[in-house]
Structures are given as C-alpha cells and as structure tokens.
Amino acid sequence: MRSPYPERVPINRAALFASALFIVQALEGTPLYFCAGCTIFILLAALAFNAGGGLTRASGVYVFFYSVMVVLIGICYKAYLGEPAQSNLVDPRTDIEAYVGSMLSMYGAVTLSRLFSRPRGLLEDVLKEADMHRASIGCMLFGAFGMVGVAMLGTGFRTAFSQVNLLVPVGIIIGIMYEIRSSGGSRCTNIFVVLATLYSLVMGMLGFSKQGMILPIFCWLLPICALRYRLSFVQVLSSLAIIFIVFYYLVPYSQYGRGQVSQDTTSGERMEIAFALLSHPNETRRLFLQSEEEQAYKDIRGFGSYYNKPQGFWERLQFVSVDDGLNNVTDQGHVFGLLPVAYGFANIVPHFLWPNKPGANLGNMYGHEISGDMEGQGDVTTGISFSPTGEAYHLAKWAGIFALAPLLWFTAFTALDILLGDIRRSPWGLLAVAIISHVAPEGGIVGTIGLFSFDVEVLIFCALFSVWFAPMLAAAILGPSSQTVSA
C-alpha cells in the first residue's frame, strides 16, 4: 500500500460531500442557514487548499489542519451522532458566519501569497543526501543530551536552547528520509530512529504531554507519506495498532495524569504517578472518562459539551463549542481590542535582549471572560486554546476576520513559502507541517505571528545545525567510516 499525501481535492467530490452533509444535517433538524454555512465553508476550504498547493506547501497545510481540526471533524461527528449541528451552542449564527468569513479571508491570503512564491525555497536543498545519515544521528544525540552542555553556559542559553530544541523530531525525519531514499524505497527506518522515537515517547509520558507523545509518531508518518513509501500489510497493521494505542490509552493517560501533578511535583513523584497509571491502562482510561463526564456540564470556565453526551477525546478534536463561548461574549460587547497583537510582536524580541518584555496568558484571560469570573479566583496558569477565528473575532469583530486575520495569514504563508518551498523536499519542510498542525487549529490568531517569527527561527536553527554541526558530532562518535544500521 503506497502511503497517501494529497496535493489537491477534486472540487466535484468536495461538492458531493458538502451536499450529502447538507441533507443529513437538514434531516436532523439543523437550520438551513447553518447547513448552508457548512456547505460554503467546505467548498471554500477545498478551493483554498488547492490554491495553496495542497500538502506540498505551508499555506495548504495550514488550510488543511485549520479546516479539519477546527470545524469539519466537529460538525461531521455531530451529524454521525444524529444531533442538529447548532444544538448546545449559544451563538450559532455568529459561529458559522465567522467560520465562513475566516475561510474566505484565508482563501484570499493563500492566493495572494502564492504570487510571491519562489521556484525553490531558501532551505530546500541545503542538506546533501550524503550527509543525511550523520546529520540525523547528530541531531538526535544533541537534542536528547545537549542540554547538559548548554546549561553550563548559563540560564539564558539553557532557556533559549529549550525553546528551539526540536532536534530529536527533525533527526527522526532526516533518518527516515535517508533510509527511504538510499534504499530505493525498500526500508524506512534504522536503529537510531527507533531509539530516538522511544526516547521521545518516554519523555512525553513522564511529562504527561499529549503533544510530546504524538509528535514522534507524527514525525514517522510525515516522511513516509511525503515520499510515498510503499507500506507492507504488516507495516499498515502495525501503524494502525500504534495509532490505536496512542489515542485509546496514552491520550486519556496524559489528560488524566496532568491533573494528578502540580508545579511542585518532583521528578521522582512524577515517575511514580506515571508508572501507576501506565500499569493499569484500562482503569486510567475509565477514570479519565468518568472525570470528563462529571465536568462536561458544570465546567467552571463556562464551557459545555458540543455533543448531547460527553464524547471524551472527540471533544478535543473540534473548536466549535469553545469558539462559541468566546463569540457570545464578544457579541455581548466585550471586544478585547488589539493589545494581544502587540504582545505577539513584542514576543519576537529575544528574552535576553528584553528581559522584562510584556506578556499575558491570553487563553486564561479569555476563559475568565467567558465564565464571568474576571478576577479568576487566583487562577492565572490555566490556559484554554481558541481557534484563529474565535480570537480574531474577539479582538476586533468583523475587522478581525476580514482585515487582521488575512494580513497575518498572508505574512506567515509568504514567509514560510519563501523559506521552505515544496515541503516534501526537506526535513525542515516536514517539521513545519508538525508545527503548523498544532498552531493552525489552536494557536489563535496571535499564534500566527509566531509562525513567521519564532517558528521560522526554529526551522532555520534546525537546518543550520543539521548542515554544519550534526554531521561532525556524529563523525566524532561513529568515526569517519560509519555505516547505516538498518532495523
């Protein structure tokens, strides 16, 4: 089976899917304005995805993860459950209008940004294939153990390195790309990649980090799909089994385990809690589902379930209900203003140059606005993720949707396209997919500023380290005649 990597969506198929969803929603009691809004959103998303080059360009990747994770999964699963799409929402008309308006703005930003694209990205071909094996090993080693040496240089260096250190994920991507290319498609991994993946999974488990556990798996799938690697039947089954374990057991484990630790919990205590929860995965999953059900309709932040009954992890694969609360607050007159945008641009300046630069936990502030608890009862740490649409509308209503959002999207798409070009051709291009998959649905509109500032710095750092330092580090360890060790 050759792994898929879509470059475009046939518009006739998108229209057929949208029409089928329209009929199902109408039969389930969804108002026609909401059905029509969903149909228009799907068609605009397909047009924007194709205009952005599909999953070959950063803009197409952004459109994909935004549209799927923010809206499509939620409304499709809602239809699957037989529930009207607007039910359990307090401001459904604004919700669907804002999503349609955002997708129209995004389509315009994608189209305009492609006028400035280059035939080749600046970082597209900087790593020679002959250096990829050692670059992979060097990145994974320094990413895993380099913090010890960096910490000796001082707290500032340690903090800066921890923020840009995606060397283990990029090392995994480089290693898999090398194995596929050098073997002519007969193998896709080696022992170093396997060890790095296990290391990342363990660190993610100990940190109760959902993203930390999913990222190494994602970094496996990205090059396999991008290079159209032909998977065997056993590999397909193994991949499906791993994905099942991650989402069925490890995601509930991370969500439940995070509530069992605090900032004062020591590393030893974290390990004890992690071991106890992982020793009984079915019980941990049961406890997670029980806590979700208890919290669903009495959430102190003012958020309810999008579905009639709590759906566990499915609740986190949509932002319709979360944005709905913020849209409702905005329509009541609580327009936040553009100060968060200033925070976003201020954050571009490195901390060592501006130690006291202003900042705020925006998700926490928005959450307290929704709950009506502006004082927060002392809670200043809990963060809530909102989609770019929800935050853009909250900052400036329709000016946020039709002016602020497309301007920031255009800047991010243009910068990433000039830097990366065809993202299938370089490890940093595929690393950008992993970054965008997180920022596009839940980074808010201010998070888009990070895409063309901080995240660009991360990609450049990973590329330069891979080209200039990682091969030398690997050669010092393996010797000049090291050979690929295949698994």
Side-chain angles (χ1 to χ4, degrees), residues 373-394:
D373 177 19
M374 295 305 297
E375 298 299 324
Q377 297 180 351
D379 173 27
V380 295
T381 59
T382 303
I384 303 165
S385 298
F386 296 90
S387 83
T389 297
E391 186 177 25
Y393 187 74
H394 187 51

Side-chain angles (χ1 to χ4, degrees), residues 268-397:
E269 292 171 339
R270 279 179 174 271
M271 293 181 67
E272 291 180 5
I273 295 172
F275 181 78
L277 295 178
L278 290 171
S279 299
H280 303 88
N282 285 315
E283 176 65 12
T284 300
R285 175 176 167 79
R286 186 191 68 79
L287 291 172
F288 164 72
L289 294 176
Q290 179 180 322
S291 65
E292 287 284 287
E293 187 170 357
E294 291 174 351
Q295 189 180 24
Y297 299 106
K298 58 180 181 181
D299 196 319
I300 60 173
R301 299 169 302 181
F303 299 108
S305 171
Y306 183 37
Y307 311 105
N308 292 342
K309 294 182 180 179
Q311 297 297 319
F313 187 59
W314 286 100
E315 297 280 4
R316 288 170 169 76
L317 294 179
Q318 57 83 28
F319 283 81
V320 178
S321 60
V322 181
D323 287 343
D324 173 66
L326 197 57
N327 290 339
N328 184 55
V329 167
T330 307
D331 281 345
Q332 292 175 6
H334 299 278
V335 181
F336 199 93
L338 298 181
L339 183 60
V341 178
Y343 287 150
F345 280 102
N347 199 44
I348 295 176
V349 182
H351 188 73
F352 71 90
L353 293 178
W354 191 359
N356 299 317
K357 64 183 178 181
N361 187 340
L362 298 173
N364 180 272
M365 296 169 64
Y366 300 156
H368 289 307
E369 282 188 280
I370 295 172
S371 66
D373 177 19
M374 295 305 297
E375 298 299 324
Q377 297 180 351
D379 173 27
V380 295
T381 59
T382 303
I384 303 165
S385 298
F386 296 90
S387 83
T389 297
E391 186 177 25
Y393 187 74
H394 187 51
L395 297 187
K397 297 200 75 171

